[in-house]
Amino acid sequence: MSVRLSKLNQSFDYALESVFRDCSFEAFAQCFPQLLRDNPEFLKTCYQQFRQAMTKNLQSDFQNLLKEYNLEHHLKRLDEIVMEAKQMKNDGDVPMIPTEPERILAAHRYALKQQERDRLKKMLELAQQENAQELQEAKQKDDECRQMMADIEKLKSQLVF
C-alpha cells in the first residue's frame, strides 16, 4: 500500500470518527425523546445498528470510489514520481519544473498564451488567404472593367456623328 493511500485511509477513518463524535447517542436520543423514556435499551440498540450500518455503507462507498477511480494505482504512481524527484534533487539533477506558485502559474499562463497565439495565427492565416482571394477577384474584375472601358472607347471611336 502506498504512503498516500495509507494517509487517505487514515483521513477517511478520522472523518468517520468525527462524524460519529458529532452524532453521539445523546444527540441521536434527542430525536426520539418518547422512545428514550419508554425503552432506552431498544433505542441504544437502534443507535448501535444505525452506526454499524452507516459505517459499513460509508466504508463500502469509499472502497467503491477507490476502485472506480483506480486511486491505489494513481497514488502509488504519485509516490514513485515524488521519490524519483527527491532522488533527482539529491543527485543534483534537478528537473526544470518550477516549485514556487508564482512560477507554476506563470508557466501555466505561458502555455495558455501559446495556445491563444497559435489560434490567432491560424485565424490570421485564414484571413490573409481570404483577403488574397478577394484581392485576386477584385483585380480580375478591375481587368474586366478596364477591358469593357477599352471596348466602349473603341466602339465610340467607330461611331460617326
Side-chain angles (χ1 to χ4, degrees):
M1 177 182 294
S2 76
V3 173
R4 282 176 173 66
L5 183 59
S6 175
K7 289 186 179 193
L8 182 61
N9 283 320
Q10 288 174 352
S11 297
F12 174 76
D13 292 340
Y14 177 77
L16 197 58
E17 286 174 20
S18 70
V19 165
F20 287 118
R21 193 176 322 117
D22 294 340
C23 184
S24 64
F25 174 72
E26 291 75 25
F28 185 80
Q30 288 177 359
C31 298
F32 307 99
Q34 183 70 36
L35 189 56
L36 180 63
R37 273 192 305 269
D38 295 345
N39 196 347
E41 289 303 314
F42 177 71
L43 185 60
K44 190 166 223 143
T45 302
C46 288
Y47 172 74
Q48 289 170 347
Q49 289 175 353
F50 164 76
R51 188 174 168 152
Q52 288 172 351
M54 282 293 289
T55 301
K56 182 179 176 184
N57 287 340
L58 290 171
Q59 286 174 337
S60 174
D61 288 348
F62 181 70
Q63 291 303 316
N64 288 339
L65 287 172
L66 291 177
K67 288 177 187 170
E68 181 179 345
Y69 293 102
N70 198 15
L71 287 178
E72 185 171 359
H73 169 74
H74 293 301
L75 292 173
K76 183 179 178 186
R77 180 65 185 126
L78 182 58
D79 284 341
E80 291 170 0
I81 291 169
V82 169
M83 291 301 290
E84 289 171 10
K86 286 180 181 178
Q87 185 62 41
M88 289 171 67
K89 185 177 181 181
N90 289 341
D91 293 345
D93 187 20
V94 180
M96 296 299 294
I97 300 173
T99 55
E100 299 85 29
E102 296 82 18
R103 293 189 65 203
I104 293 170
L105 289 173
H108 181 68
R109 283 191 310 265
Y110 178 76
L112 291 175
K113 287 178 181 180
Q114 280 185 322
Q115 288 174 349
E116 183 65 10
R117 185 198 65 212
D118 293 343
R119 185 185 72 79
L120 291 172
K121 274 185 177 180
K122 287 178 184 175
M123 284 179 61
L124 177 63
E125 288 173 10
L126 181 61
Q128 286 174 337
Q129 288 173 357
E130 289 174 357
N131 287 346
Q133 186 177 0
E134 293 290 328
L135 180 63
Q136 185 66 27
E137 288 175 14
K139 284 181 179 180
Q140 185 179 5
K141 287 184 182 185
D142 184 54
D143 290 344
E144 288 174 10
C145 285
R146 288 184 191 276
Q147 183 62 41
M148 284 183 196
M149 291 296 287
D151 290 345
I152 290 173
E153 287 297 322
K154 188 176 179 183
L155 286 173
K156 261 175 55 176
S157 67
Q158 291 177 353
L159 286 175
V160 179
F161 285 107

